[in-house]
Amino acid sequence: MAETSIFESKIDPVYQAGGALVAVFLFDVAGSAVAAGTEDVVNNRWPWLCAASFLLFFALFNAIMSATSANLMKYWGRSIYSFLGLAIGSGLLAWAFSGLSIYQAGSYKWIFFVVTFGYLVFLSMIAVMKKVVDFAQKEEWNSPKLRQRKRKR
């Protein structure tokens, strides 16, 4: 039986974001349970750490998965909406579990900003790499087209 890579299975960005949001919720619940037992292990910024961590995880995983998409523009649209939904949803969960707004959570406002900017950069890099690979696959490598150069005389 041939094993298929996770990158060959096309996972919709909405499901990726939904899975990450469920993971944020589970880690927030686990952090609250640990904090109820002892306050030394988990502080009140733990939910914001979980939200930022899974947002970064989604950004990396989703950008890599976009390389295998057939229609890049459709995938990008769904990805960006999913990212926004995950950012808002995980932020609301973090606020609900910690009682701190993003402005009170210290540097997490900037972490969210950097992860969002990095996500857009990741998507752009993957798109450029995909275009280069598509172009390279169209060229005939046994006898590439010779391009005429205009020489100055």
Side-chain angles (χ1 to χ4, degrees):
M1 183 169 142
E3 292 183 28
T4 58
S5 170
I6 191 169
F7 300 110
E8 291 175 11
S9 61
K10 302 196 181 344
I11 303 170
D12 191 82
V14 174
Y15 294 135
Q16 295 172 25
L21 192 60
V22 168
V24 168
F25 177 74
L26 294 175
F27 273 77
D28 285 348
V29 168
S32 295
V34 170
T38 175
E39 304 245 344
D40 297 337
V41 179
V42 177
N43 65 11
N44 62 344
R45 292 186 188 173
W46 170 260
W48 286 105
L49 175 67
C50 293
S53 299
F54 280 100
L55 199 60
L56 179 61
F57 176 75
F58 173 83
L60 289 171
F61 186 74
N62 183 260
I64 291 170
M65 294 294 287
S66 73
T68 62
S69 69
N71 185 349
L72 192 61
M73 288 299 124
K74 181 179 177 184
Y75 190 89
W76 268 28
R78 293 182 67 80
S79 294
I80 290 174
Y81 287 129
S82 298
F83 182 84
L84 289 173
L86 178 61
I88 292 168
S90 63
L92 288 173
L93 281 173
W95 173 58
F97 276 92
S98 70
L100 299 173
S101 73
I102 195 166
Y103 301 106
Q104 297 169 328
S107 61
Y108 285 101
K109 175 177 69 169
W110 290 107
I111 290 172
F112 267 60
F113 175 76
V114 169
V115 169
T116 301
F117 183 74
Y119 175 61
L120 296 174
V121 169
F122 291 152
L123 280 180
S124 301
M125 285 174 38
I126 295 294
V128 168
M129 286 190 283
K130 188 172 180 175
K131 294 252 187 219
V132 167
V133 168
D134 288 344
F135 176 76
Q137 287 177 344
K138 287 179 185 176
E139 287 289 321
E140 295 179 22
W141 289 104
N142 295 334
S143 57
K145 296 176 187 173
L146 297 175
R147 310 222 188 266
Q148 295 292 330
R149 293 184 185 173
K150 292 183 180 179
R151 296 183 185 181
K152 293 181 181 179
R153 292 184 189 228

